[in-house]
Amino acid sequence: MKYITPVIAGLALMLSLTAFLKSQQGQTVTIAAPQTEISAPIQLLPEGDSPLLNESEPLSAELTDVLLKVEQQLQLQARELEALRSELETLKQITPPATDAEREYAELMRDLPPDFEQRLKTDPEYADQMQRDLLDKVADSSLHEDERLRAIQQLMMVSGSVGAFNQVQDNARLNQAITQLVDNASQESTRIKALEHLSFLGATDARHRERFLDLIENDDNRYVRNLASDALSSMLYSADLTYNQRSGLVQKISNLMNNGDSTTRELLAERFGTPEQLRQFEQQINEEALDLLQ
């Protein structure tokens, strides 16, 4: 409200000035405007066809006083608006992100170059080099694990932007680095974050089958068990699995359905239904795979 009042006052002065000028037909006035807002002079012209007087003709004291007040009001409003812009910018910088997603995004963007998005679009060599540098950071065990986790997210973002995500997903070096993070995490939060990446990026790699099965059966954290079941579900759909690999995975899941604890059976039932439905699902996937090969 403190910035609205001066504006209303300024409008009132302008209306007063307009009414006064209507009574001063024939005068031409040039006002030097505030440098912060207007670079050209303001010329107030009379209405109608009254002849213009010489611009050098002196103004009346009353008109000069009104114009001076208008100019002062405009200058004050300009200063207050500039102060408001500065205050908003400061608040934007010091106000912490409100949600986990906002905090994560702010952290993700923290050490990326400010112009990286535009350069990714216009410079293929820059995009390739950036992906190599980020992969090096992920694989560098001397770096703090938080920095390595952030580099994984940045690599996924950059690769997705340039249409190279499949190359990242199939990168054995990246896969190994994430697995190392899972196995050697110093904190549970780090292990879970690395597992989230592994369950997404490594869900098409049959080498992780036993890891995900073990997590479903034995991990104490239900969220982790749920991640692993999601990963196995994605793995079954993977075109990279051979017929024998898919059949073996279905058999493993069926065994857990029949012999696992109540939590394991519940998680697998949510993803795959009954053992019979799982076998029907396997048959359907294999038939679709054969159709694609024909």
Side-chain angles (χ1 to χ4, degrees), residues 78-93:
R79 289 192 297 270
E80 290 181 336
L81 287 173
E82 186 59 36
L84 177 60
R85 292 190 192 99
S86 178
E87 181 179 346
L88 290 174
E89 186 63 28
T90 300
L91 287 173
K92 182 180 178 181
Q93 293 175 0

Side-chain angles (χ1 to χ4, degrees), residues 235-256:
M235 189 177 292
L236 280 177
Y237 276 103
S238 173
D240 295 331
L241 261 65
T242 65
Y243 176 87
N244 290 334
Q245 287 174 330
R246 185 173 288 108
S247 295
L249 179 56
V250 168
Q251 184 60 48
K252 293 274 189 179
I253 296 174
S254 295
N255 289 339
L256 282 180

Side-chain angles (χ1 to χ4, degrees), residues 66-116:
V66 171
L67 295 178
L68 181 59
K69 289 181 179 179
V70 171
E71 182 175 6
Q72 291 173 342
Q73 189 66 46
L74 290 173
Q75 290 174 338
L76 175 62
Q77 291 173 11
R79 289 192 297 270
E80 290 181 336
L81 287 173
E82 186 59 36
L84 177 60
R85 292 190 192 99
S86 178
E87 181 179 346
L88 290 174
E89 186 63 28
T90 300
L91 287 173
K92 182 180 178 181
Q93 293 175 0
I94 66 175
T95 301
T99 66
D100 287 345
E102 290 176 351
R103 283 190 288 271
E104 184 173 330
Y105 182 75
E107 182 68 14
L108 181 64
M109 302 298 290
R110 179 171 58 85
D111 56 357
L112 288 175
D115 63 341
F116 85 98

Side-chain angles (χ1 to χ4, degrees), residues 26 64 80-81 95 107 115 147-149 160 165 171 173 198 216-217 233 250 253 284:
T64 300
E80 290 181 336
L81 287 173
T95 301
E107 182 68 14
D115 63 341
E147 187 173 356
R148 296 173 69 190
L149 286 173
F165 186 76
N171 191 290
R173 188 182 177 209
L198 188 65
I216 290 175
E217 187 175 15
S233 178
V250 168
I253 296 174
Q284 177 185 349

Side-chain angles (χ1 to χ4, degrees), residues 142-162:
S142 68
L143 296 176
H144 192 278
E145 54 194 23
D146 288 345
E147 187 173 356
R148 296 173 69 190
L149 286 173
R150 186 165 62 251
I152 295 172
Q153 294 175 275
Q154 292 170 339
L155 179 59
M156 292 167 61
M157 180 179 66
V158 170
S159 299
S161 297
V162 299

